[in-house]
Amino acid sequence: MPAKMNSGSESGHPAALTPAQTLADRDLRVVWHPCTQMKDHETLPPIAIRRGHGAWLEDFDGKRYLDAVSSWWVNLFGHANPRIAAALQDQAETLEHVIFAGFTHEPAVRLAERLVSITPPGLSRCFFADNGSAAVEVALKMSFHYWRNKGETRKTRFIALANGYHGETLGALAVGDVDLYKSLYDPLLMDVITAPSPDCYHRESGESWQDYSLRQFAHMERLLAAHAHEVAAVIVEPLVQCAGGMRMYHPVYLTRLREACSRHGVHLIADEIAVGFGRTGTMFACEQANISPDFLCLSKGLTGGFLPLSVVLTNDDVYAAFYGEYTALTAFLHSHSYTGNPLACRAALATLDIFADENTIRGNAAKAQYLGRRAQELAEHAHVAEVRQCGMIVAVEIAKNKGSREPYPWQERRGMRIYRHALALGVLLRPIGNVVYFMPPYVVDEAEMDLMVDAAAQGIELATCD
Ligand code: PMP
């Protein structure tokens, strides 16, 4: 049943619904929201947002929420960013969409040129899709298909990391390892080889991130040695396993992985859908390991959070393996209706212009330092097990027992308490289980970062007091 939004006034007459309540009420009659137990809305109806500006969202009652999670990590330069909006308006009046097979257009060509020029060396080809999961499917299929085209028919499997996340479609889900999203669907999923994660939350006390990541790499090396003959690719989220709780590891793991994949004749797929476009402190996380993957998946921040778009970049060697006579049937026949959508490509170009004109990566360094310093204050709390940071991603992990890191049982939904409390304070935090994190738009200022951290501190206090 839809949540009852209007319980009536004390006089017996129904109280008038505010515009926000009216919209939420209508929503609950017809909409089914993602990643949500809809019954939760009986006590907390969806918040109807009227407009956004900078790092802020505003509801129909005029209440404002600081978007500390960039609306699922997509927004880079603020809501309703005027520069991106203007580019979109111009494009909408020129060409909104055109079939991308047999036809092309300037925004897609310019975007592909720009992406090739700013991504790690060797990535020379862009294949567009329209969301992150679709990009992962493209990369997996392309890798498998490459080996087929080369006559290597035994390479049909993938190696992925424990605690990884790559999306919700069946292929992407199969190479992910977050139980909450995956385990129910196991009977539908391909069989993947899972390597232990380099996630440094599990390092021994006194052990460095580098040493732990290197130690964990030994497992990957063994799996590659044993399975390379049947493995098409290894897929990883470089540096931060985001949906897995903002778990982080050292770039040395990626450096070693690149070298081992090349040595064993296995592709490396870097899923930078969440960490690309400056989130880890460099434009792309792979830069910190000085590596080029065989496939680079990008989405989310690609359009500054305006429109769905994704892209898989690959190299000349992969491209060449598909190039031939039609009748040889080596072509990559994957397609989506909205592939290379001109509006989305224009939004992406405007986003890249902002990066270049405002020297965002440099400017972010000071913001990251400030946010990290403020968040570090939470480390003293009796139920904060760790405060960790990678560039503009800062995470605070709460635990039942700080010393042993015994987690709170998930059924207690402590993160949900923090979410609700922060909302009341006008901050949109969306903890992942026991992990509160900040991944704000890059337009955030120090006062806003203070507000985020203070709301988290209060929320954590409240959620861990029993
Ligand atoms: N890969 C990673 C690393 C992600 O974080 C996500 C989304 N959270 C995806 C893939 C899937 O992207 P989408 O939600 O656009 O399908």
Side-chain angles (χ1 to χ4, degrees):
M1 288 292 289
K4 281 236 169 61
M5 302 295 301
N6 179 9
S7 55
S9 69
E10 286 180 6
S11 66
H13 296 294
L17 293 177
T18 67
Q21 287 170 325
T22 305
L23 200 57
D25 199 28
R26 283 167 50 203
D27 173 293
L28 290 174
R29 291 176 201 284
V30 290
V31 177
W32 191 343
H33 286 270
C35 205
T36 299
Q37 170 47 265
M38 292 298 288
K39 192 172 193 299
D40 282 352
H41 284 318
E42 288 181 9
T43 52
L44 185 65
I47 297 163
I49 294 300
R50 177 166 51 174
R51 62 182 166 208
H53 181 72
W56 292 87
L57 298 163
E58 185 185 315
D59 75 11
F60 278 79
D61 299 329
K63 183 170 162 76
R64 300 201 317 146
Y65 301 88
L66 179 60
D67 189 354
V69 298
S70 298
S71 282
W72 262 342
W73 323 336
V74 300
N75 192 292
L76 299 186
F77 295 113
H79 291 282
N81 179 287
R83 196 161 168 186
I84 303 173
L88 273 178
Q89 183 168 355
D90 178 63
Q91 188 61 42
E93 290 166 3
T94 313
L95 176 68
E96 83 303 338
H97 188 62
V98 57
I99 180 173
F100 205 55
F103 290 79
T104 193
H105 51 84
E106 194 175 350
V109 175
R110 275 174 49 214
L111 180 58
E113 288 169 349
R114 295 273 295 269
L115 289 172
V116 164
S117 75
I118 63 171
T119 50
L123 295 168
S124 54
R125 284 279 161 189
C126 293
F127 189 97
F128 290 105
D130 50 16
N131 65 72
S133 304
V136 169
E137 301 287 344
V138 165
L140 297 174
K141 284 177 67 180
M142 253 187 200
S143 173
F144 162 83
H145 197 159
Y146 168 94
W147 295 113
R148 278 278 149 139
N149 285 351
K150 291 275 186 186
E152 294 264 11
T153 53
R154 288 186 310 162
K155 283 180 168 288
T156 59
R157 301 185 73 190
F158 298 96
I159 298 179
L161 291 181
N163 195 45
Y165 179 90
H166 300 285
E168 299 292 335
T169 52
L170 294 178
L173 203 56
V175 291
D177 183 49
V178 178
D179 260 6
L180 180 63
Y181 307 123
K182 179 174 178 178
S183 56
L184 178 80
Y185 302 102
D186 264 343
L188 305 182
L189 304 177
M190 66 179 164
D191 182 29
V192 162
I193 300 164
T194 305
S197 173
D199 160 18
C200 290
Y201 187 64
H202 297 297
R203 70 197 185 281
E204 296 295 324
S205 93
E207 188 175 22
S208 72
W209 281 32
Q210 177 159 3
D211 286 349
Y212 183 73
S213 296
L214 275 175
R215 185 150 68 82
Q216 289 303 90
F217 184 73
H219 300 289
M220 176 64 87
E221 178 68 58
R222 268 196 294 277
L223 286 173
L224 277 167
H227 295 282
H229 63 283
E230 55 170 346
V231 168
V234 175
I235 181 167
V236 297
E237 291 164 273
L239 300 187
V240 188
Q241 298 189 304
C242 294
M246 301 297 164
R247 295 292 182 78
M248 300 172 184
Y249 59 93
H250 194 277
V252 72
Y253 190 91
L254 296 172
T255 314
R256 292 289 169 98
L257 181 60
R258 173 67 279 180
E259 184 278 319
C261 283
S262 300
R263 181 161 34 87
H264 287 288
V266 167
H267 287 142
L268 174 59
I269 303 172
D271 175 353
E272 294 219 19
I273 288 162
V275 297
F277 299 104
R279 288 293 181 193
T280 66
T282 44
M283 192 62 166
F284 300 103
C286 283
E287 291 170 32
Q288 295 183 43
N290 211 7
I291 62 158
S292 295
D294 299 291
F295 300 92
L296 176 67
C297 302
L298 302 173
S299 187
K300 289 194 186 278
L302 173 59
T303 62
F306 268 65
L307 282 167
L309 179 68
S310 62
V311 61
V312 178
L313 285 106
T314 189
N315 55 39
D316 288 346
D317 175 44
V318 170
Y319 182 73
F322 289 79
Y323 200 89
E325 295 304 325
Y326 184 81
T327 49
L329 290 178
T330 55
F332 189 61
L333 299 181
H334 186 105
S335 63
H336 296 288
S337 313
Y338 281 96
T339 296
N341 175 258
L343 288 163
C345 291
R346 268 303 283 281
L349 285 166
T351 301
L352 294 180
D353 284 344
I354 299 175
F355 267 108
D357 294 349
E358 299 186 2
N359 206 345
T360 306
I361 298 294
R362 169 123 37 102
N364 278 356
K367 293 188 188 199
Q369 205 176 20
Y370 186 82
L371 183 57
R373 201 170 58 237
R374 282 296 335 266
Q376 200 58 45
E377 293 166 18
L378 306 184
E380 302 307 315
H381 190 279
H383 287 284
V384 170
E386 184 175 71
V387 177
R388 51 182 176 266
Q389 176 172 24
C390 184
M392 287 294 278
I393 306 174
V394 178
V396 182
E397 181 134 0
I398 60 169
K400 187 169 178 182
N401 186 313
K402 188 180 176 96
S404 70
R405 296 193 162 179
E406 179 195 351
Y408 284 112
W410 63 268
Q411 293 88 341
E412 294 178 7
R413 304 187 76 188
R414 307 246 170 190
M416 185 58 137
R417 296 191 214 171
I418 298 170
Y419 170 71
R420 288 180 178 225
H421 186 71
L423 278 182
L425 297 175
V427 180
L428 167 49
L429 298 171
R430 202 172 191 279
I432 301 169
N434 291 322
V435 180
V436 187
Y437 69 89
F438 311 107
M439 213 203 260
Y442 303 155
V443 292
V444 74
D445 64 23
E446 289 188 358
E448 290 163 344
M449 289 190 268
D450 286 340
L451 182 61
M452 279 173 348
V453 175
D454 293 345
Q458 274 194 34
I460 289 170
E461 185 58 41
L462 196 91
T464 59
C465 64
D466 59 343

